[in-house]
Amino acid sequence: MRDLGFLAGDSPDVAPTLLGWRLVSLIGGERTAIRITEVEAYRQDDPASHSFPGPTKRNATMFGPAGHLYVYRSYGVHWCANVVTSAPGHGAGVLIRAGSPLDGLEVMERRRGRRTSLSNGPGKVAQALGIEGIHDGTDLRQGVVRLEPGTPPVTFVATPRIGISKATEVPWRFVAVE
């Protein structure tokens, strides 16, 4: 089993270290994988975070142990996948915003119903990898969705987060520069 102890840190510190890691899905017996190229950090004291109001049935996974998958529905349309970070009891995570396809390209194309723009947005990542609400809480060390070491980018940039309406100025979006 893979050691993901580094995920127990503060989400803005953990987020850029996930760049270059592989997010692998074995859902439906089909292997798909992306190289993570864009992430956003969220934590409990952050008004843009799902954990800001405290634990609820919807966000309970964010308060669990680091190294699990928090999956939620965005605007009732798209599933989004987050890596839970921090210590148990402190709601924090890193949204996987984008990645480069590595394995299972044909499967991703079928799931997305297209051949381009397969994983260049958080909803697209989840759809391409087959991640849905039933995968919330998956252990990323040994579940059907896993994190595997990859090649870190040479450099990355930190920018304000996008697609949110609160705390938009916080520079917790990290993008690999290749």
Side-chain angles (χ1 to χ4, degrees):
M1 189 173 353
R2 181 165 292 108
D3 179 19
L4 298 178
F6 74 97
L7 296 174
D10 191 24
S11 58
D13 296 331
V14 171
T17 69
L18 286 170
L19 295 173
W21 277 70
R22 292 186 299 265
L23 187 61
V24 177
S25 164
L26 305 171
I27 294 168
E30 298 178 300
R31 181 183 169 91
T32 54
I34 62 164
R35 179 175 182 263
I36 299 171
T37 59
E38 183 180 344
V39 295
E40 282 183 350
Y42 293 89
R43 63 183 190 199
Q44 193 170 350
D45 63 351
D46 171 10
S49 177
H50 289 182
S51 62
F52 186 69
T56 66
K57 183 178 178 182
R58 177 184 185 214
N59 70 16
T61 301
M62 283 189 86
F63 291 86
H68 285 74
L69 192 66
Y70 167 55
V71 180
Y72 68 91
R73 190 74 115 158
S74 178
Y75 302 110
V77 179
H78 306 287
W79 293 109
C80 293
N82 299 257
V83 175
V84 176
T85 63
S86 285
H90 178 81
V94 175
L95 172 65
I96 307 301
R97 285 201 55 83
S100 301
L102 295 173
D103 296 328
L105 187 61
E106 302 80 20
V107 175
M108 289 186 206
E109 290 173 350
R110 185 183 76 241
R111 288 175 176 161
R112 294 271 302 120
R114 60 182 324 164
R115 293 191 137 156
T116 60
S117 301
L118 296 176
S119 53
N120 62 338
K124 295 174 184 180
V125 166
Q127 186 178 22
L129 297 178
I131 298 170
E132 299 180 347
I134 60 170
H135 302 110
D136 183 49
T138 298
D139 184 337
L140 291 168
R141 293 169 299 174
Q142 60 187 3
V144 294
V145 181
R146 301 175 183 181
L147 270 176
E148 295 180 354
T151 306
V154 173
T155 188
F156 64 88
V157 295
T159 73
R161 297 174 295 186
I162 59 176
I164 57 174
S165 59
K166 298 175 183 171
T168 57
E169 73 288 350
V170 178
W172 289 350
R173 175 178 171 244
F174 303 93
V175 182
V177 177
E178 304 297 332

